[in-house]
């Protein structure tokens, strides 16, 4: 089945730094979704991308839908402590029925 | 986006018992899903809850272990049967707004089996 890969697996950054993480696949996705999960909580949708090349921002977050439709990146600018969590990328499978999730990028922000 | 409420939010369960998790949505939705997230892992789809018919299970998940009900377009339950410590996970209810578009999650139900 379709799979999503995320890198890095984890990252430690200083408060105030910018963060970049990405999501790749060997197959095409027509939608890219980015979620953040806090410990013990359900994932919360951050950004949804529906068109190749699309660049979308949500506050300090910016995500892009890769032109090849096989990748997407998420950037966080000027990180703050509440950015700590696990960031997942996801997309619907070829049948548009089930959503595939990447393994996640665990972000830690040091004060 | 729909507001999705799950309960219980967390529970500690005895080995061999069963627990039913409820998912209530504040609006009618066509597609509801149940996911499992084992400690430190990503999300794995258990099944799609179909209104008025049997749920559609993913490979590795069976109805006897994870019976699902979907009596209407706003409510679903997932039962984790005959629990073992390996069933300790977060169980997440989710809904889809439009086919292949976006899915939203409830707060999750964190089960610990002892």
């Amino acid at each position: 089945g379709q799979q999503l890969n995320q890198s890095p697996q984890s990252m430690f950054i200083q408060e105030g730094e910018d963060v970049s993480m990405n999501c790749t696949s060997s197959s095409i996705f027509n939608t890219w979704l980015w979620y953040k999960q806090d410990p013990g909580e359900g994932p919360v949708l951050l950004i949804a991308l529906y068109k190749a090349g699309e660049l979308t921002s949500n506050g300090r977050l910016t995500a892009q839908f890769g032109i090849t439709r096989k990748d997407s990146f998420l950037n966080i600018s000027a990180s703050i402590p509440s950015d700590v969590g696990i960031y997942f990328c996801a997309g619907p499978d070829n049948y548009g029925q089930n959503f595939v999730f990447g393994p996640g990028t665990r972000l830690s922000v040091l004060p | 986006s729909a507001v999705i409420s799950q309960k219980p939010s967390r529970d500690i369960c005895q080995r061999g018992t069963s627990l039913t998790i409820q998912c209530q949505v504040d609006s009618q939705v066509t597609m509801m899903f149940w996911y499992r997230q084992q400690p430190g892992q990503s999300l794995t789809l258990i099944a799609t809850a179909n209104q008025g018919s049997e749920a559609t299970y993913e490979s590795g998940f069976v109805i006897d272990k994870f019976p699902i009900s979907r009596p209407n377009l706003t409510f679903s339950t997932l039962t984790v049967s005959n629990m073992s410590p390996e069933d300790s996970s977060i169980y997440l209810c989710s809904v889809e707004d439009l086919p292949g578009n976006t899915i939203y999650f409830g707060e999750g139900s964190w089960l610990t089996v002892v």
Side-chain angles (χ1 to χ4, degrees), chain A residues 31-93:
Chain A
T31 297
W32 290 88
L33 308 172
W34 285 94
Y35 293 86
K36 177 176 182 269
Q37 185 177 31
D38 291 327
E41 303 287 329
V44 174
L45 182 67
L46 298 174
I47 292 179
L49 302 162
Y50 301 112
K51 191 184 299 184
E54 179 181 359
L55 183 72
T56 297
S57 294
N58 178 8
R60 293 179 296 106
L61 278 61
T62 302
Q64 184 157 30
F65 191 143
I67 293 175
T68 65
R69 294 194 283 164
K70 293 183 178 181
D71 64 338
S72 175
F73 72 74
L74 175 70
N75 288 344
I76 305 173
S77 63
S79 58
I80 59 178
S82 61
D83 290 332
V84 167
I86 304 175
Y87 292 80
F88 291 101
C89 63
D93 65 15

Side-chain angles (χ1 to χ4, degrees), chain B residues 22-33:
Chain B
Q22 298 180 3
C23 178
Q24 179 73 55
V25 188
D26 69 343
S27 59
Q28 293 186 339
V29 293
T30 303
M31 304 296 287
M32 292 181 75
F33 308 94

Side-chain angles (χ1 to χ4, degrees), chain B:
Chain B
S1 63
V3 176
I4 306 165
S5 302
Q6 279 186 241
K7 56 182 180 181
S9 58
R10 62 179 60 214
D11 206 341
I12 298 174
C13 308
Q14 294 293 319
R15 186 192 303 247
T17 63
S18 299
L19 182 80
T20 296
I21 303 166
Q22 298 180 3
C23 178
Q24 179 73 55
V25 188
D26 69 343
S27 59
Q28 293 186 339
V29 293
T30 303
M31 304 296 287
M32 292 181 75
F33 308 94
W34 286 98
Y35 283 82
R36 181 176 73 180
Q37 185 179 28
Q38 294 177 302
Q41 302 295 313
S42 187
L43 287 76
T44 300
L45 181 64
I46 297 172
T48 302
N50 301 311
Q51 195 263 330
S53 64
E54 199 169 276
T56 304
Y57 289 85
E58 296 300 301
S59 176
F61 297 97
V62 294
I63 188 171
D64 289 347
K65 177 67 176 178
F66 298 102
I68 289 170
S69 79
R70 177 89 191 271
N72 56 52
L73 292 176
T74 64
F75 186 78
S76 178
T77 67
L78 168 75
T79 299
V80 186
S81 303
N82 188 24
M83 286 185 283
S84 66
E86 293 71 34
D87 293 320
S88 298
S89 296
I90 300 175
Y91 292 86
L92 295 152
C93 171
S94 71
V95 304
E96 184 179 24
D97 62 345
L98 293 171
N101 195 6
T102 307
I103 60 171
Y104 299 94
F105 289 89
E107 316 97 321
S109 299
W110 194 337
L111 304 187
T112 302
V113 184
V114 297

Side-chain angles (χ1 to χ4, degrees), chain A residues 7-24:
Chain A
S7 64
Q9 185 176 6
S10 63
M11 53 197 316
F12 294 82
I13 61 168
Q14 293 291 135
E15 183 176 355
E17 288 184 349
D18 296 342
V19 174
S20 184
M21 60 188 78
N22 71 344
C23 183
T24 61

